[in-house]
Amino acid sequence: MKYDTYFHLTADDDTPTSAMATGSNYWEDLRKQARQLENELDMKLVSFSKLCTSYSSGHDHQTRPRSDSFGPQDNMVVAMTTEVEQLLAKLAVINDKMAEYTSSPGASSQNAALMHTLQRHRDILQDYTHEFHKTKSNFFSLREREDLLGSVHRDIESYKNSSGVNNRRTELFLKEHEHLRNSDRLIDNAISIAMATKENITFQRGMLKSIQTRVTTLANRFPAINSLIQKINLRKRRDSLILGGVIGVCTILLLLYTFR
């Protein structure tokens, strides 16, 4: 394990400063790997959601393969599912390594800050896992519906070709089925628009969360920045009051001079 290597290095060094720097480098390396995996997962989940959303529009019920066979888009979904699962597994391993580091004796001095960072990465992993399973569940439900509609249409076409009867009753039935298909397409379009809107909102939430995380990290690393900003704001407020007082006195003196 990489952490064992760092541990042996610090054990051989007599200076506490060197040991602390080595442990800090290991922690920063883990955080860097976690952020990289989180960025990859964010892009993969957006692509995975778009692929699952476009599944219905990319398949015609007349040419849709049976449920026991896979088309090109099904293979893409399976491949992307495997990639996302592998990234989630890697991110879980990194989180476990970070948890192991926080419980080590050398990290006790900054345990509160490390535990806060670890919990944040765990929350991100949980959100991504929940989003992935929800999207995958929606995809399988959509595929089952597509299979059912395709099966009904194939049965109708089979009956039409085998019987060779084009009576008025069959034509009315086919027209009604066509109306149902058109309604289904309209519903699919509405669902696609809603899911695209949800993706945009999710992406914006991720961006805001990332910005908040960076601001929190800066505040934790440099607590002197907060006090400096407060002092600057107090000085600006004091200068504004002084300037306002001077302007008021000058105005009063000008009015007195004018109406004297």
Side-chain angles (χ1 to χ4, degrees):
M1 184 182 294
K2 186 174 182 180
Y3 179 66
D4 294 336
T5 304
Y6 277 98
F7 180 79
H8 291 309
L9 287 173
T10 56
D12 294 337
D13 198 340
D14 294 334
T15 59
T17 304
S18 177
M20 188 180 300
T22 305
S24 176
N25 290 337
Y26 176 66
W27 174 257
E28 290 300 326
D29 185 49
L30 289 177
R31 287 194 61 194
K32 182 179 179 181
Q33 295 179 43
R35 287 194 296 266
Q36 182 178 359
L37 288 172
E38 287 166 359
N39 291 334
E40 292 181 12
L41 272 170
D42 186 61
M43 292 185 294
K44 286 289 183 183
L45 286 175
V46 171
S47 301
F48 182 66
S49 179
K50 290 181 179 179
L51 181 61
C52 293
T53 304
S54 63
Y55 182 83
S56 176
S57 60
H59 287 82
D60 188 357
H61 296 308
Q62 298 181 5
T63 59
R64 172 88 167 73
R66 294 183 180 274
S67 58
D68 55 354
S69 61
F70 288 90
Q73 197 169 8
D74 297 290
N75 294 330
M76 290 176 62
V77 171
V78 171
M80 190 166 292
T81 299
T82 303
E83 292 179 4
V84 174
E85 289 175 346
Q86 291 176 350
L87 289 175
L88 288 173
K90 290 180 180 178
L91 185 57
V93 171
I94 295 298
N95 284 348
D96 292 339
K97 289 183 179 180
M98 294 173 73
E100 182 180 354
Y101 176 79
T102 56
S103 61
S104 64
S108 58
S109 60
Q110 6 174 0
N111 194 43
L114 297 181
M115 290 300 296
H116 174 75
T117 303
L118 175 60
Q119 185 60 41
R120 180 165 47 80
H121 284 292
R122 282 176 171 172
D123 292 341
I124 293 174
L125 174 61
Q126 184 178 3
D127 291 342
Y128 283 157
T129 303
H130 176 72
E131 186 70 23
F132 169 65
H133 288 302
K134 185 176 181 181
T135 304
K136 186 170 70 170
S137 176
N138 292 336
F139 164 72
F140 282 119
S141 299
L142 179 63
R143 189 175 188 274
E144 289 177 1
R145 186 180 65 178
E146 291 288 319
D147 290 338
L148 179 61
L149 292 175
S151 176
V152 170
H153 185 80
R154 285 192 298 270
D155 291 342
I156 293 174
E157 290 296 326
S158 176
Y159 172 77
K160 179 180 176 182
N161 294 332
S162 61
S163 62
V165 179
N166 267 333
N167 53 26
R168 177 68 177 168
R169 192 173 183 179
T170 304
E171 290 178 359
L172 291 175
F173 178 75
L174 292 175
K175 286 182 179 180
E176 184 67 23
H177 180 262
E178 187 64 27
H179 290 317
L180 291 175
R181 284 183 59 198
N182 292 333
S183 300
D184 181 69
R185 287 173 180 169
L186 291 175
I187 294 174
D188 287 342
N189 291 334
I191 293 174
S192 299
I193 294 173
M195 292 188 71
T197 304
K198 176 179 173 294
E199 286 177 15
N200 291 330
I201 294 174
T202 303
F203 179 75
Q204 292 176 7
R205 182 190 67 182
M207 292 292 293
L208 292 175
K209 200 170 188 180
S210 176
I211 293 172
Q212 182 182 5
T213 299
R214 292 176 182 176
V215 172
T216 305
T217 303
L218 287 175
N220 291 334
R221 284 187 176 180
F222 308 104
I225 293 179
N226 289 332
S227 63
L228 180 60
I229 292 175
Q230 291 177 0
K231 290 180 180 178
I232 292 173
N233 291 332
L234 289 174
R235 181 165 293 180
K236 284 184 177 180
R237 192 175 300 139
R238 185 191 65 186
D239 293 343
S240 298
L241 291 175
I242 294 173
L243 182 61
V246 171
I247 293 174
V249 171
C250 292
T251 303
I252 293 172
L253 292 176
L254 182 62
L255 290 173
L256 291 175
Y257 178 78
T258 301
F259 295 104
R260 186 176 177 180

